């Protein structure tokens, strides 16, 4: 922990001659000021368009010149910047991150170019049938809550954002006291000294306004979107915060319900029922209570009400009768397999460490894995009863 509040963590693994860095800022779309929807994602774009030491395009050029890679992404709770570099070039990542944390150049031509890119991204999302449905459903589900803000922003907000708004958000959000830097792989001993030299001179920021816990719907709201020829359905329900035990239990319930060919929803809607092309579920991993989604793609000519009856009946069965031990064990095996696959590389293990330190607690990964290995059918039934009520979505 540096004096200005920044956390630096190393995960040493000499099995591959690479160093992967991830810089997490505990500030994302949910922390945007009112009327500035999309400003966090816009700042993410501008972080690659020039700072005091690195001009427009230079970060990508230098990264590619040494055979490395870089990327970034914005969520409601955080913004993350990643590098993957050969072990002898680790210092490049730290120097870039320190320089753009200190300030950006806000070149007018680069600023307008990135605005155009983001507006194209927004148009593509709004034209895509699945994305358009998800945006409409989540708008209705979240209402005015911060988790309802669109990460890309809206055309109406991105069009009017100026460099002053972006610079103000950068100063408050991209500050060392909001930052967690993880360095994973063939990490040299001198990396902590270098991190202290580069980041310690930077000043902490003023506190961000806290995010209130969302209030989920108390009755079913229906939304229709006209896009494409295929009929799709998306049910959004309240979910737990990622650090709660219920997050693991509910994820297991969803996997048991529709994960894999042996699951009841897969069997009743797809393989035997022949009502849908596919069914899937998702659970947002968020600091505050998030969202469960169940997605369906209907076959041509199928009655929508028949599909809904099957889904409602299976959710009711899970809430009232629970899931049998075999289904829970099958779901557990699927999730453990996913866990192993998602932690094969040092980059992914570093990302898990960073997520825990930045958002959910240092022991987050270990706690989740422990809950998954010890979960009982009663735990799963209790989570299903609490969260899988379609009349609250």
């Amino acid at each position: 922990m540096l004096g200005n509040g920044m956390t630096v963590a190393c995960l040493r693994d000499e099995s591959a001659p690479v160093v992967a860095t991830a810089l997490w800022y505990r500030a994302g779309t949910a922390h945007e000021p009112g009327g500035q929807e999309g400003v966090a994602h816009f700042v993410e774009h501008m972080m690659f368009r020039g700072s005091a030491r690195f001009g427009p395009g230079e970060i990508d050029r230098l990264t590619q010149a040494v055979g490395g890679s870089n990327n970034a992404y914005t969520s409601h709770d955080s913004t993350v910047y990643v590098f993957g570099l050969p072990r002898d070039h680790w210092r490049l990542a730290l120097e870039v991150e320190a320089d753009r944390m200190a300030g950006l150049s806000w070149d007018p031509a680069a600023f307008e170019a990135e605005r155009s890119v983001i507006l194209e991204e927004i148009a593509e999302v709004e034209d895509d049938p699945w994305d358009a449905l998800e945006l409409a459903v989540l708008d209705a589900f979240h209402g005015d809550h911060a988790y309802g803000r669109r990460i890309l922003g809206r055309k109406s907000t991105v069009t009017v954002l100026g460099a002053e708004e972006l610079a103000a958000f950068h100063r408050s959000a991209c500050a060392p006291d909001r930052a967690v830097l993880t360095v994973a792989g063939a990490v040299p001993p001198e990396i902590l000294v270098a991190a202290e030299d580069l980041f310690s001179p930077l000043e902490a920021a003023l506190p961000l306004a806290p995010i209130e816990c969302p209030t989920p719907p108390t009755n079913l709201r229906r939304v229709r979107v006209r896009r494409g020829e295929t009929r799709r359905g998306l049910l959004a329900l309240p979910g737990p915060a990622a650090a709660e035990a219920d997050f693991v239990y509910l994820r297991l319930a969803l996997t048991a319900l529709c994960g894999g060919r042996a699951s009841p929803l897969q069997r009743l809607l797809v393989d035997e029922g022949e009502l849908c092309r596919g069914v899937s579920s998702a659970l947002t991993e968020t600091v505050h209570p998030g969202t469960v989604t169940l997605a369906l793609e209907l076959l041509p000519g199928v009655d929508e009400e028949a599909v809904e009856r099957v889904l409602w009946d299976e959710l009711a069965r899970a809430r009232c009768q629970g899931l049998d031990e075999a289904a829970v064990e099958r779901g557990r095996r699927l999730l453990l397999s996913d866990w192993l696959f998602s932690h094969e590389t040092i980059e992914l293990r570093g990302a898990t460490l960073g997520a825990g330190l930045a958002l959910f607690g240092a022991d987050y990964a270990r706690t989740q894995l422990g809950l998954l290995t010890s979960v009982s059918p009663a735990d799963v039934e209790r989570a299903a009863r609490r969260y899988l009520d379609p009349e609250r979505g």
Side-chain angles (χ1 to χ4, degrees), residues 11-87:
L11 182 64
R12 186 169 285 111
D13 183 344
E14 299 284 347
S15 61
V18 297
V19 170
T21 69
L23 181 61
W24 292 73
Y25 289 110
R26 288 183 288 260
T29 303
H31 301 91
E32 295 169 339
Q36 296 184 23
E37 197 168 358
V39 69
H41 176 252
F42 206 149
V43 168
E44 177 212 309
H45 275 238
M46 293 304 298
M47 291 282 261
F48 293 88
R49 296 302 298 242
S51 54
R53 180 177 169 188
F54 300 94
E58 195 169 356
I59 294 171
D60 288 338
R61 184 182 63 77
L62 292 171
T63 303
Q64 293 165 10
V66 299
S69 62
N70 65 60
N71 208 342
Y73 58 90
T74 303
S75 72
H76 283 94
D77 291 318
S78 64
T79 314
V80 187
Y81 300 86
V82 296
F83 278 90
L85 297 166
R87 65 185 304 168

Side-chain angles (χ1 to χ4, degrees), residues 264-276:
L265 285 177
Q266 181 75 27
R267 179 172 51 80
L268 294 169
L269 290 173
V270 181
D271 293 339
E272 296 177 12
E274 297 183 342
L275 298 171
C276 297

Side-chain angles (χ1 to χ4, degrees), residues 32-308:
E32 295 169 339
Q36 296 184 23
E37 197 168 358
V39 69
H41 176 252
F42 206 149
V43 168
E44 177 212 309
H45 275 238
M46 293 304 298
M47 291 282 261
F48 293 88
R49 296 302 298 242
S51 54
R53 180 177 169 188
F54 300 94
E58 195 169 356
I59 294 171
D60 288 338
R61 184 182 63 77
L62 292 171
T63 303
Q64 293 165 10
V66 299
S69 62
N70 65 60
N71 208 342
Y73 58 90
T74 303
S75 72
H76 283 94
D77 291 318
S78 64
T79 314
V80 187
Y81 300 86
V82 296
F83 278 90
L85 297 166
R87 65 185 304 168
D88 295 334
H89 295 278
W90 58 267
R91 192 174 180 89
L92 172 63
L94 271 64
E95 290 177 349
V96 167
E97 298 297 12
D99 199 58
R100 58 189 182 184
M101 185 186 292
L104 302 180
S105 61
W106 309 112
D107 174 71
F111 183 82
E112 292 304 327
E114 289 306 320
R115 191 201 306 275
S116 297
V117 169
I118 294 168
L119 289 173
E120 288 178 9
E121 288 180 331
I122 292 171
E124 288 176 4
V125 168
E126 291 178 345
D127 286 341
D128 180 83
W130 267 122
D131 289 337
L133 176 61
E134 183 178 24
L135 290 176
V137 169
L138 294 181
D139 279 349
F141 182 86
H142 288 293
D144 294 331
H145 188 265
Y147 279 175
R149 293 176 192 154
R150 298 182 181 183
I151 289 171
L152 298 182
R154 300 170 193 263
K155 182 180 178 181
S156 59
T157 57
V158 172
T159 300
V160 299
L161 283 172
E164 290 184 5
E165 288 93 346
L166 268 71
F169 187 81
H170 176 272
R171 285 193 300 272
S172 64
C174 303
D177 51 317
R178 312 234 195 284
V180 172
L181 175 67
T182 59
V183 188
V187 181
E190 63 267 29
I191 206 162
L192 290 175
V193 175
E196 187 156 13
D197 289 343
L198 288 165
F199 292 100
S200 285
L202 304 178
E203 295 183 0
L206 295 173
L208 290 168
I211 300 171
E212 296 180 1
C213 280
T215 302
T218 55
N219 60 292
L220 183 65
R221 304 174 187 175
R222 293 184 180 272
V223 177
R224 282 195 175 269
V225 178
R226 302 290 181 182
R227 290 287 192 285
E229 299 298 321
T230 302
R231 287 174 302 161
R232 299 168 172 86
L234 186 70
L235 174 65
L237 299 170
E244 296 179 30
D246 273 354
F247 182 85
V248 175
Y249 303 153
L250 181 57
R251 192 170 174 222
L252 181 48
L254 293 167
T255 304
L257 274 171
C258 63
R261 304 302 292 268
S263 63
L265 285 177
Q266 181 75 27
R267 179 172 51 80
L268 294 169
L269 290 173
V270 181
D271 293 339
E272 296 177 12
E274 297 183 342
L275 298 171
C276 297
R277 284 196 180 93
V279 54
S280 63
S281 66
L283 180 58
T284 59
E285 196 170 13
T286 46
V287 172
H288 298 287
T291 315
V292 179
T293 52
L294 286 152
L296 309 160
E297 187 169 304
L298 279 64
L299 288 169
V302 167
D303 178 43
E304 294 174 16
E305 292 183 1
V307 173
E308 188 173 304

